[in-house]
């Protein structure tokens, strides 16, 4: 008997009853509500829009890799911060668009599955369990890190960064050429 997957939606907001279909689909650009079957990815989504910079993705085996692009990025973004993992009441309307990503074109009723007191500590626990590989800033190629920082500098005025511009400036400007 095939076990049903567990779906998660990570948030910094407590007490949600509905996940609104107000995010932009990576698949076709429509408005959707997002869910994932990857708990680590849901944990990483427990961040504010003002601190919206994450470089993370699965390898061919499906294991997530988190890449720090400024010093102590993981700690800065998640240490001491609460997160809430929600689960849809029904997954019948969810559509798998790629890998661990699921979307729904309508609002999705949810229940809180888990309250995470410190998202940073929980991500480190997931690392110990082998569910995520964290590539720390100090271990990364300095040329790649410089290229990334300078790219942020060059793109900072793009409207896509409007909500997190101050955060990006604060953490990347010391790294610019």
């Amino acid at each position: 008997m095939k076990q049903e997957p567990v779906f998660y939606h990570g948030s910094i907001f407590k007490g949600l009853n509905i996940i609104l279909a107000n995010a932009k689909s990576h698949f076709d650009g429509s408005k959707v509500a997002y869910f994932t079957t990857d708990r680590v990815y849901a944990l990483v989504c427990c961040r504010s829009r003002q601190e919206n910079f994450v470089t993370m993705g699965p390898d061919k085996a499906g294991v997530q890799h988190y890449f720090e692009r400024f010093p102590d990025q993981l700690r800065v973004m998640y240490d001491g911060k609460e997160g809430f993992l929600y689960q849809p009441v029904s997954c019948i309307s969810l559509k798998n668009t790629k890998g661990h990503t699921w979307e729904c074109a309508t609002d999705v009723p949810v229940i809180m599955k888990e309250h995470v007191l410190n998202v940073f500590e929980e991500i480190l626990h997931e690392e110990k369990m082998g569910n995520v590989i964290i590539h720390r800033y100090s271990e990364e190629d300095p040329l790649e890190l410089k290229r990334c920082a300078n790219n942020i500098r060059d793109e900072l005025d793009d409207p896509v960064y409007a909500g997190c511009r101050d955060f990006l400036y604060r953490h990347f400007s010391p790294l610019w050429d």
Side-chain angles (χ1 to χ4, degrees):
M1 178 183 236
K2 186 177 178 182
Q3 185 177 351
E4 288 293 316
V6 176
F7 294 97
Y8 302 96
H9 177 92
S11 177
I12 59 171
F13 299 109
K14 180 180 182 180
L16 298 179
N17 295 316
I18 294 175
I19 303 302
L20 300 175
N22 62 2
K24 185 177 178 183
S25 170
H26 297 300
F27 180 69
D28 65 8
S30 64
K31 294 292 186 180
V32 297
Y34 271 113
F35 289 86
T36 181
T37 53
D38 187 322
R39 184 174 181 273
V40 175
Y41 187 77
L43 287 167
V44 170
C45 289
C46 296
R47 64 184 185 277
S48 75
R49 291 180 186 222
Q50 291 78 31
E51 296 181 347
N52 194 13
F53 185 82
V54 173
T55 49
M56 181 174 167
D59 62 18
K60 290 181 182 180
V63 177
Q64 289 287 1
H65 288 253
Y66 184 100
F67 298 88
E68 287 190 326
R69 294 300 185 222
F70 61 83
D72 291 320
Q73 178 179 334
L74 197 66
R75 181 179 302 278
V76 166
M77 293 183 66
Y78 300 103
D79 195 16
K81 297 178 183 169
E82 289 181 294
F84 302 90
L85 301 182
Y86 293 93
Q87 193 170 29
V89 173
S90 169
C91 58
I92 198 161
S93 61
L94 299 180
K95 176 180 153 188
N96 184 225
T97 54
K98 183 179 179 185
H100 300 287
T101 304
W102 295 70
E103 299 178 354
C104 183
T106 61
D107 299 345
V108 178
V110 293
I111 57 171
M112 186 169 56
K113 176 159 180 62
E114 188 176 351
H115 176 197
V116 179
L117 295 175
N118 187 321
V119 176
F120 175 69
E121 289 176 2
E122 195 61 27
I123 292 171
L124 293 182
H125 175 73
E126 290 286 346
E127 179 186 33
K128 287 178 187 168
M129 301 290 291
N131 297 325
V132 62
I133 297 170
I134 300 170
H135 301 267
R136 284 159 175 87
Y137 182 85
S138 62
E139 302 164 351
E140 291 297 287
D141 176 5
L143 292 175
E144 173 62 19
L145 295 170
K146 181 61 76 178
R147 185 200 62 73
C148 179
N150 288 337
N151 188 51
I152 293 291
R153 176 199 62 209
D154 297 344
E155 307 266 331
L156 200 57
D157 288 332
D158 188 314
V160 74
Y161 296 122
C164 60
R165 189 171 287 124
D166 292 342
F167 176 82
L168 295 174
Y169 183 82
R170 183 170 52 255
H171 293 288
F172 283 99
S173 63
L175 309 172
W176 296 340
D177 284 335

